[in-house]
Amino acid sequence: MLTDPGLREGIKQFSNWPTIPQLYVGGEFVGGCDIVREMYASGELQQLFEQKGVEYAR
């Protein structure tokens, strides 16, 4: 993906989000790096993983 500009642009258009990386959980777009970091710090990301049945290291 990093070497293919067309693929990068396609991902941005698909999610209507201007930056990469992007996190998807259960097929749903969650956000970019800054949002995911904020969610992790607040505990929201762990809650989302639990709601969606995603296993993660605690």
Side-chain angles (χ1 to χ4, degrees), residues 1-19:
M1 178 186 87
L2 295 176
T3 60
D4 187 336
L7 182 58
R8 285 196 311 271
E9 283 307 310
I11 290 169
K12 293 175 185 180
Q13 289 176 5
F14 175 78
S15 64
N16 197 28
W17 194 258
T19 60

Side-chain angles (χ1 to χ4, degrees):
M1 178 186 87
L2 295 176
T3 60
D4 187 336
L7 182 58
R8 285 196 311 271
E9 283 307 310
I11 290 169
K12 293 175 185 180
Q13 289 176 5
F14 175 78
S15 64
N16 197 28
W17 194 258
T19 60
I20 295 173
Q22 299 177 1
L23 176 67
Y24 290 79
V25 176
E28 294 179 32
F29 177 65
V30 175
C33 185
D34 291 343
I35 290 174
V36 171
R37 290 180 67 175
E38 291 172 10
M39 290 177 71
Y40 176 79
S42 71
E44 260 185 286
L45 187 61
Q46 295 85 338
Q47 290 175 354
L48 176 64
F49 286 166
E50 290 169 6
Q51 290 171 355
K52 298 290 185 173
V54 174
E55 294 184 30
Y56 63 96
R58 297 174 195 244

